[in-house]
Amino acid sequence: MKCRARIILAVLLSSGLWLALKPTIQKRRITFLPVEWSQYLDRMDFWFNLIAFALLAAAAWLAFSPERRLWRALAWIIGSITVGNVLVEIAQTHIPGRAMDLADVVAGFFGAVIGCVGGLWVQLRCGRNESAGSPQVLFVDQTGRLGGAELMLLDLAIARAADSEVLLYQDGEFREALEQDGVKVQVLPLSGSTAAVDKQAGWLRVLQVVPELVQSVLQTALLARRFDVVYANTAKALIIGGPAAFLAGRKLVFHLHDIISAGHFSAMNRLALVFCANQFAHAVIANSEATKAAVHDAGGHVENVVVVPNGFKLTENRSTDAEQAALRANLGLPADAWIVLMAGRLTPWKGQHVLLEALRDVPDAHAILLGDALFTAEDREYAAQLRETAAQPALTGRVHLTGFRKDTQAFFDLADVIVHASVIAEPFGRVIVEGMLAGKPVIATRAGGAAEIITHEETGLLVTPGSAAELAAALRRLSDHPALASRLAAKARQTACDTYGLEAVRAKIEHVILSCASPTETHAPSTLQPVEVSP
Ligand code: UDP
Ligand code: GLC
């Protein structure tokens, strides 16, 4: 297409110049069109110019087919056409009987704008071949860091690496992890100000970054042309990937890892998410019943929402005694310390501060806070506050902040109990399942996905979110009653193995992808065949 567009561009340019400058050889005008046609065109000069320049701009756009820096390409093409147009108008003033016509310049400018938009539309819509085999999937995720949503996607993308690519809006260790396992990754980095628009952002912040968002949508749409399905894995990925999939005419699956509620998102973000999910998603995968219920409460359509929990590799592998001893020494943990592990990013709603508060009433316990502030400035401030609290006399030497670690298994193996302390509803809570699979007793807060994973007194203990007193009591109970801790841990491991195996979860997600991608299905979201899923 590029080649054909270049030929058309050359023809349009030369015939346009000929028509405008009306070359004269030895006082004889070489007319481009019969004179009466020219006179007729002169009478509809403005509209003729508009259409001619629209065609010229469309051909120019397709001839260069830009895929990145689209605003710059737009400015170059419109700018060059407008400047060229002005120069031709000036040249025309030297032709007897002709004068400069501002209306022609205006028509040329608007024609160029219309042509570029038209060229982009053709570029988006061309070359769409349905793939014959397994659907080609473009996974889209906003972050380069490794949060729970990204760890789930990592396993999915590795398993279908031959038929998928991952698009990230930030570079980082997530890309490295994907590439290490043979997954093809593209990074279209967002500028600092757009990346900093977080879940609590209001209208003003968003308005400032609209031009960049539009560019990201178009770039993503251009990339999406090669795939059958766009799979948005995070909120920002939906905001960008949703309209992009629509423009490219591709199916959209939205994997919802968040609870769309006031505690997690600003009003504007909730509106935008629900709008994009309702308008663009052919299927929504919610990671828990709580997440699905929140979609409904926020005004989202739930008929195309299926609940699929996160999946985990089921392994008997444990870290060795030597590895655990080394870790213990590295963290400065006494040999006989009773160890509480809280894994997860440091952010106020995860409630690490509640554990530190509870720890004051469990004097012999040591706590490991495994994780880092991953996403926002507020998170980093919170991490600094946690370090200050940890240095207070009642806690000195008992709180061990490790930062983000990839080798999490040894930490789980070392722990006597796993704590999850989110102060608002947790969408799912991978760390809870990881604790159960490690064969450790888990204490979690009674809300959201956590309350779906744990059955109180059977597979763990549930406490009221934000209650340090209840958490301390539950910790003392497990520390004082090792038999209870072992019973809960054994049942928890069995339940986790039965429910959260990666292969079964992957099959359910693949089923959703196939339902969307299958050419026999119609485009309506409601045609998705729901899968039976036990959370
Ligand atoms: N995690 C990790 N390294 C760390 C801390 C956490 O790999 O230093 C992992 C943890 O094992 C879990 C994920 O990060 O798989 C956190 O997922 P979760 O669903 O618990 O919370 P999220 O941060 O996604 O809200
Ligand atoms: C998100 C949620 C977390 C969930 C994870 C994987 O990061 O905050 O609760 O476990 O995604 O679905």
Side-chain angles (χ1 to χ4, degrees), residues 129-208:
N129 301 319
E130 302 289 343
S131 51
S134 167
Q136 302 294 304
V137 176
L138 177 66
F139 293 106
V140 187
D141 195 292
Q142 72 206 49
T143 179
R145 310 303 306 268
L146 278 168
E150 288 68 40
L151 288 167
M152 178 73 244
L153 177 55
L154 183 63
D155 285 333
L156 291 179
I158 289 171
R160 62 181 345 283
D163 302 304
S164 308
E165 275 182 42
V166 177
L167 169 63
L168 302 179
Y169 297 121
Q170 183 194 40
D171 204 357
E173 65 263 30
F174 186 25
R175 176 190 51 78
E176 288 162 17
L178 286 159
E179 286 181 342
Q180 206 171 358
D181 278 293
V183 181
K184 209 167 161 210
V185 186
Q186 300 238 16
V187 183
L188 290 177
L190 295 173
S191 70
S193 49
T194 306
V197 173
D198 60 14
K199 292 178 175 177
Q200 296 298 346
W203 288 104
L204 254 181
R205 289 286 305 281
V206 174
L207 278 180
Q208 286 162 3

Side-chain angles (χ1 to χ4, degrees), residues 146-152 199 257-258 287 310 312 342-345 347 349-350 369-372 374-375 402-408 411-412 420 422 426-432 434:
L146 278 168
E150 288 68 40
L151 288 167
M152 178 73 244
K199 292 178 175 177
H257 294 277
D258 298 299
N287 59 0
N310 276 214
F312 301 81
M342 186 164 171
R345 61 198 150 100
T347 189
W349 71 269
K350 289 283 184 184
L369 299 188
L370 173 65
D372 208 345
L374 290 191
F375 298 127
T402 66
F404 182 85
R405 301 283 293 254
K406 284 186 188 155
D407 52 334
T408 56
F411 289 87
F412 280 90
H420 161 270
S422 293
E426 177 77 46
F428 178 73
R430 289 175 62 88
V431 289
I432 300 168
E434 286 163 350

Side-chain angles (χ1 to χ4, degrees), residues 285-306:
I285 299 170
N287 59 0
S288 66
E289 291 293 343
T291 305
K292 176 178 175 176
V295 172
H296 176 264
D297 296 346
H301 301 157
V302 280
E303 54 279 9
N304 61 341
V305 181
V306 277

Side-chain angles (χ1 to χ4, degrees), residues 49-253:
N49 270 299
L50 191 90
I51 294 165
F53 280 101
L55 287 175
L56 186 70
W61 187 276
L62 292 170
F64 298 108
S65 293
E67 302 218 338
R68 302 211 168 188
R69 298 177 163 193
L70 299 177
W71 288 133
R72 183 187 280 212
L74 193 74
W76 263 105
I77 293 177
I78 296 173
S80 312
I81 286 180
T82 308
V83 170
N85 198 0
V86 170
L87 291 177
V88 169
E89 286 294 323
I90 292 170
Q92 281 180 347
T93 57
H94 298 292
I95 300 173
R98 308 256 333 162
M100 175 131 181
D101 188 351
L102 203 60
D104 285 356
V105 178
V106 173
F109 175 80
F110 285 113
V113 174
I114 294 167
C116 284
V117 174
L120 178 63
W121 181 252
V122 174
Q123 187 188 6
L124 276 172
R125 291 291 166 150
C126 271
R128 297 181 50 229
N129 301 319
E130 302 289 343
S131 51
S134 167
Q136 302 294 304
V137 176
L138 177 66
F139 293 106
V140 187
D141 195 292
Q142 72 206 49
T143 179
R145 310 303 306 268
L146 278 168
E150 288 68 40
L151 288 167
M152 178 73 244
L153 177 55
L154 183 63
D155 285 333
L156 291 179
I158 289 171
R160 62 181 345 283
D163 302 304
S164 308
E165 275 182 42
V166 177
L167 169 63
L168 302 179
Y169 297 121
Q170 183 194 40
D171 204 357
E173 65 263 30
F174 186 25
R175 176 190 51 78
E176 288 162 17
L178 286 159
E179 286 181 342
Q180 206 171 358
D181 278 293
V183 181
K184 209 167 161 210
V185 186
Q186 300 238 16
V187 183
L188 290 177
L190 295 173
S191 70
S193 49
T194 306
V197 173
D198 60 14
K199 292 178 175 177
Q200 296 298 346
W203 288 104
L204 254 181
R205 289 286 305 281
V206 174
L207 278 180
Q208 286 162 3
V209 300
V210 163
E212 194 182 351
L213 280 181
V214 171
Q215 169 153 276
S216 299
V217 166
L218 295 175
Q219 286 177 329
T220 304
L222 288 169
L223 199 57
R225 289 172 304 168
R226 285 193 282 116
F227 299 86
D228 301 303
V229 172
V230 175
Y231 188 110
N233 195 54
T234 55
K236 219 177 261 175
L238 172 72
I239 302 291
I240 299 174
F246 172 76
L247 287 174
R250 312 324 264 168
K251 306 286 176 62
L252 179 81
V253 174

Side-chain angles (χ1 to χ4, degrees), residues 440-455:
K440 301 295 162 132
V442 179
I443 304 172
T445 52
R446 191 181 289 107
E452 293 168 36
I453 297 170
I454 297 265
T455 307

Side-chain angles (χ1 to χ4, degrees), residues 249-438:
R250 312 324 264 168
K251 306 286 176 62
L252 179 81
V253 174
F254 174 38
H255 197 150
L256 175 59
H257 294 277
D258 298 299
I259 289 192
I260 306 179
S261 69
H264 289 274
F265 291 96
S266 66
M268 192 223 51
N269 275 335
R270 293 201 299 277
L271 265 179
L273 278 175
V274 168
F275 174 82
C276 287
N278 285 351
Q279 293 306 312
F280 305 125
H282 291 76
V284 177
I285 299 170
N287 59 0
S288 66
E289 291 293 343
T291 305
K292 176 178 175 176
V295 172
H296 176 264
D297 296 346
H301 301 157
V302 280
E303 54 279 9
N304 61 341
V305 181
V306 277
V307 175
V308 183
N310 276 214
F312 301 81
K313 290 184 194 104
L314 303 180
T315 165
E316 297 294 328
N317 294 347
R318 295 277 172 268
S319 48
T320 62
D321 289 349
E323 281 167 342
Q324 287 183 41
L327 188 57
R328 203 178 264 275
N330 197 266
L331 294 174
L333 283 159
D336 58 347
W338 193 72
I339 299 168
V340 181
L341 172 68
M342 186 164 171
R345 61 198 150 100
L346 306 180
T347 189
W349 71 269
K350 289 283 184 184
Q352 281 88 358
H353 60 284
V354 182
L355 173 61
L356 297 197
E357 194 54 41
L359 216 61
R360 296 174 195 273
D361 291 332
V362 196
D364 298 327
H366 280 247
I368 301 176
L369 299 188
L370 173 65
D372 208 345
L374 290 191
F375 298 127
T376 64
E378 189 198 9
D379 293 352
R380 288 186 282 279
E381 209 173 287
Y382 179 66
Q385 278 168 18
L386 288 174
R387 283 194 176 83
E388 271 176 35
T389 312
Q392 288 173 3
L395 298 174
T396 328
R398 293 201 291 136
V399 180
H400 311 267
L401 288 107
T402 66
F404 182 85
R405 301 283 293 254
K406 284 186 188 155
D407 52 334
T408 56
Q409 185 64 50
F411 289 87
F412 280 90
D413 293 339
L414 195 62
D416 291 288
V417 57
I418 310 300
V419 163
H420 161 270
S422 293
V423 295
I424 52 174
E426 177 77 46
F428 178 73
R430 289 175 62 88
V431 289
I432 300 168
V433 181
E434 286 163 350
M436 294 163 84
L437 288 171

